[in-house]
Amino acid sequence: MKKNKLIAMTCLVLGILNAILSFTFAGGLIDMAYGRDIKSDRSNEPIQPIPFHYDDNRAKTELGKKLFFEPRLSKSGWITCNSCHNLSTGGADNLPTSIGHKWMLGPINSPTVLNSKFNLAQFWDGRAKDLKEQAKGPIANPMEMASNHDLAVEVLQSIPEYVQWFKKVYGEEKITIDNVADAIAAFEETLVTPNSRFDLWLRGYDRISEVEEEGYILFKGKGCIGCHNGFGVGGNAFRKFGIAKPYDKDTQTLGRYNVTKEEKDKYVFKVPLLRNIELTAPYFHDASTWNLSEAVNVMAEYQLGTKLTEDETNKIVAFLKTLTGDQPEIIFPVLPPSNASTPKPNRN
Amino acid sequence: MKIVKFTKICCLLVFAIITIALPVIVSAEEPPRNIGYGRGGRMQGGAISPRSREPIKPIPISFDDNRAKTDLGKKLFFEPRLSKSGWITCNSCHNLSTGGADNLPTSIGHKWMLGPINSPTVLNAKFNRAQFWDGRAKDLKEQAKGPIANPMEMASNHDLAVEVLQSIPEYVKLFKAVYGEEKITIDNVADAIAAFEETLTTPNSRFDSWLNGYDDKITAEEKSGYELFKEKGCISCHNGFGVGGNSFEKFGAAKPYDRDTQTLGRYNVTKDERDKYVFKVPLLRNIELTAPYFHDASTWSLSEAVNVMAEYQLGMKLTNDETNKIVAFLKTLTGDQPEVIFPVLPPSNANTPQPNRN
């Protein structure tokens, strides 16, 4: 009797356990190791590991992904956000300056979209306060996508699938440029690159070599860390390019001055992110070098007023290469077709 | 005793139900999707359906035989450094987001040069008997070499393209894994791209399901459109797996085509007078995704395209109703679009030739 009861109970318990397990697995395994930030000895370092991102609104980020790859947001029907912020190549185009409508060449190096949510403002001069504001810029810039906000919205509004998706996310069928930018920004916020070797080291795993660690110590000791810190290893401040010595390679680009019109903001730029830096040559707003070692030396010379030995430069470069994280795994979106009411692309 | 036995059996039953049924219920929330390569989803075909003898054949399910090669090919398909500017990729004109084409009258190339002819879709291109509108490339491998070196397209050259790849250790390793040698050749570049492109088929269209015996997958209107498509004679050129791509035909078989008399088509390859205005019959798979239509992109409207075909190729005029039905049928040919994970490309280094936007 007792034995039978025991078997019955065991069955029940097993059944319940089974049910719980089934649900848990169906919901996807939660990464226990990296899911939350466990305190490590290195928790107080001035660089923080990239936090894990969970989509809070999948419908919105999916819509944003479609828009990010949507060539019909451009006048020509050929240029997308991804044209200049290519997710295959570190979120940038790896060109000195971007190619836009009718092959016009932009005035400044295109910054990466990866981890751009960690920037205190967007664009080199910080003229957009966030990703949403930034996203509206290139669509209407005659040297970039060369469309305008009305036309871009008209194109999307003509496509029933888009109308349906916008309705689902924003509750109304009328598409607005604000919502277009909001969805693109929501997608861009998912474009983070966690799990770099350096981040794992910060979390307490010994994942970087001695040389790389020495590079990090130099990076702090020489003062690079003064600007390049936080989640993005940069992006937290505006700084003058040429603090220690006037920057003479490009005196045309005025940077933050264009926004504030304040004399002291001449040649002041947003400190760029150093995450994935090995993927995003050429370097600086003026793309003046393709070589990461040279970029490090230029920074030392013009910002810190020091000259690094070759050994020091190499070590810092070795450290910088540990900042390359997992690149976003993007399923290339399938876009809905145009129809008779969709404005036609114009290549001229 | 009996009650205990009953409880035991009940518990076992509950246990079994939960074990078997729950995962099914849970997974049923999200319908199975056809992820990545080896696509095709449900195993169709095999069993003979009453429609096995139709002149259009369902797209066979393709299984990758060489994943390393198709993955390399995918990287190359999205590789901007194969172009002189470092900005144009195969995908620029054969965009997998938009039906494998660029949906432009003619493609934009290096320095915004505009090409001479509408860019055909890469989807299902393996079902074409030859590549390009004039069939000047015998297969996808030969085709892939063209745009890289075409000064109006990617504007690089084969030596430069290979030099770029050869300078990147990750590519050297990938080529070695696939072709057994570290020396990269343009032949192998094209071979890998072609292997990837061969995976770009679009199975499981509603029409294919209907061909496979599922009656309710197309409506009565769509079915009568298909009947018209056969009766009127469209089928004699647009048939087989790709619903086209099997032959070269003159544009203007019934009535000289007067909208574009500049493009000579197959004549450019054969220099045979008979081949003037002769083109490869385009595929009609996913046709609703790839406007504008014809080699000269002379219309954006699928209905108008059907009417033009009737007039110039078949010498007849369709009623509105007939056109609508045929268009309805054509829209059943849209299949599962390839689900491609956007590749991550290895960075350039000091030895990599730099892009040149001029």
Side-chain angles (χ1 to χ4, degrees), chain B residues 175-186:
Chain B
F175 274 93
K176 174 123 199 276
V178 175
Y179 297 102
E181 48 181 347
E182 297 200 339
K183 195 171 148 26
I184 298 173
T185 64
I186 192 68

Side-chain angles (χ1 to χ4, degrees), chain A residues 81-243:
Chain A
C81 303
N82 192 73
S83 297
C84 302
H85 302 288
N86 193 335
L87 300 178
S88 280
T89 53
D93 56 12
N94 300 356
L95 295 175
T97 65
S98 293
I99 297 168
H101 188 70
K102 296 197 84 174
W103 213 262
M104 278 184 267
L105 305 182
I108 206 160
N109 182 253
S110 173
T112 178
V113 68
L114 298 179
N115 304 304
S116 56
K117 71 175 207 172
F118 300 122
N119 285 320
L120 83 167
Q122 302 297 328
F123 294 114
W124 280 98
D125 56 12
R127 68 182 181 276
K129 73 170 191 300
D130 55 22
L131 286 169
K132 184 174 163 182
E133 201 173 306
Q134 191 280 334
K136 293 181 196 170
I139 295 175
N141 186 327
M143 293 179 76
E144 301 185 23
M145 297 167 85
S147 183
N148 60 64
H149 292 166
D150 289 344
L151 178 59
V153 166
E154 194 189 336
V155 165
L156 298 174
Q157 193 79 61
S158 73
I159 300 169
E161 290 89 339
Y162 272 119
V163 172
Q164 203 190 320
W165 294 325
F166 273 94
K167 174 132 197 269
K168 196 173 161 201
V169 175
Y170 297 102
E172 50 181 347
E173 297 201 338
K174 195 171 149 26
I175 298 173
T176 64
I177 192 68
D178 256 11
N179 290 346
V180 170
D182 184 67
I184 293 174
F187 170 63
E188 290 176 340
E189 279 172 21
T190 70
L191 301 176
V192 295
T193 61
N195 294 330
S196 66
R197 287 195 294 120
F198 188 72
D199 279 8
L200 295 179
W201 180 82
L202 284 175
R203 287 197 161 100
Y205 300 88
D206 289 325
R207 293 298 289 272
I208 67 173
S209 71
E210 236 167 81
V211 171
E212 289 159 349
E213 194 173 338
E214 282 169 37
Y216 175 52
I217 290 164
L218 282 166
F219 189 83
K220 290 192 288 186
K222 297 286 176 184
C224 317
I225 198 81
C227 297
H228 293 285
N229 52 42
F231 295 118
V233 199
N236 300 315
F238 293 102
R239 289 284 181 257
K240 181 165 183 171
F241 198 164
I243 293 176

Side-chain angles (χ1 to χ4, degrees), chain A residues 4 11 18 22 26 76 78 82-83 86 88 95 97 99 102-103 290 329-333 335 344-345 347, chain B residues 4 8 19 22 26 85 87 91-92 95 97 104 106 108 111-112 300 339-343 345 354-355 357:
Chain A
N4 278 327
C11 281
N18 199 18
S22 303
S76 62
W78 197 57
N82 192 73
S83 297
N86 193 335
S88 280
L95 295 175
T97 65
I99 297 168
K102 296 197 84 174
W103 213 262
W290 291 78
E329 195 162 286
I330 303 291
I331 296 176
F332 207 53
L335 303 173
K344 303 274 182 292
R347 295 168 296 171
Chain B
V4 171
K8 249 172 81 180
T19 310
L22 205 89
V26 169
S85 63
W87 197 56
N91 193 72
S92 297
N95 192 334
S97 279
L104 295 174
T106 65
I108 297 167
K111 296 196 82 172
W112 213 262
W300 292 78
E339 198 160 282
V340 172
I341 295 176
F342 207 50
L345 302 175
Q354 282 166 15
R357 295 168 297 171

